[in-house]
Amino acid sequence: MGVSNEQFRAAMSRLAAGVVLVTACEPSLDADDPHAPVGEDVGMTATAFLSVSLDPPLVLVSLREGSRMDDLLAEQPLWGVSVLAESQRHIAGRFAMKGRISDRLLFEDISYVRGDASGAPLIGGALATLECRTEQTVTAGDHTLVIGRVLSADLPSADGGPLTYFKGKYRQLG
């Protein structure tokens, strides 16, 4: 007894989800050397992101086990989240591509600021941005659930609605 991957994927595609960009900065190879190369910015589109607790403020993101972001957050506890607006579909698609180009090139023409608490890129025009510190990780099947304490929350843009994901496509409300 059980459900096939196709059945499960089809059923879950009927659940609309918000779209976020999770970001972090790789640590320098030698933190004691100010001339050592700075680590690369890394980003990943996610739809499995949710609020966990108000007190303390906690969020959860689900990462594919062994993905670049999963590996990075295992060693870098500080990360950022940008809640994407409906006009930012191109950003979501860019960071979700399989066989994509380097993260450095993905960030090249995107407006962002570096978070004060995390150092992570926070996307300009996002509906909200959060900076987080990993509190706990839980292995769940082929994913890692990362629970982060929210260190800062900002509302950089009040324009537009949220970017959502439904039935395998990016959508707008309404």
Side-chain angles (χ1 to χ4, degrees):
M1 262 302 167
V3 63
S4 72
N5 289 350
E6 294 78 27
Q7 289 171 314
F8 182 65
R9 188 173 288 122
M12 295 311 299
S13 77
R14 292 342 192 243
L15 177 63
V19 182
V20 302
L21 186 68
V22 179
T23 55
C25 183
E26 286 181 321
S28 172
L29 294 176
D30 185 355
D32 297 328
D33 180 2
H35 302 293
V38 177
E40 187 174 54
D41 291 326
V42 177
M44 180 200 88
T45 302
T47 56
F49 176 78
L50 57 104
S51 169
V52 174
S53 169
L54 184 59
D55 187 18
L58 299 173
V59 294
L60 177 146
V61 65
S62 179
L63 308 173
R64 187 175 38 83
E65 192 173 73
S67 67
R68 182 152 187 221
M69 188 62 73
D70 182 41
D71 293 342
L72 176 55
L73 292 190
E75 64 183 71
Q76 164 59 285
L78 299 172
W79 42 285
V81 176
S82 298
V83 178
L84 298 180
E86 58 195 2
S87 63
Q88 296 176 311
R89 178 185 298 209
H90 65 288
I91 295 172
R94 178 183 291 191
F95 284 89
M97 286 189 300
K98 291 183 193 242
R100 64 189 199 189
I101 59 176
S102 79
D103 284 85
R104 180 181 50 78
L105 295 175
L106 292 175
F107 281 102
E108 199 167 72
D109 61 350
I110 294 175
S111 170
Y112 66 87
V113 297
R114 201 159 290 285
D116 291 333
S118 68
L122 302 172
I123 304 305
L127 296 178
T129 59
L130 307 166
E131 291 184 272
C132 305
R133 182 184 66 239
T134 300
E135 291 274 312
Q136 183 179 1
T137 60
V138 178
T139 300
D142 59 359
H143 278 65
T144 302
L145 305 179
V146 179
I147 299 170
R149 180 180 294 258
V150 178
L151 305 173
S152 75
D154 291 303
L155 307 173
S157 177
D159 296 334
L163 181 61
T164 59
Y165 195 71
F166 181 69
K167 288 187 175 181
K169 294 181 182 176
Y170 296 115
R171 313 275 182 152
Q172 294 175 241
L173 291 180

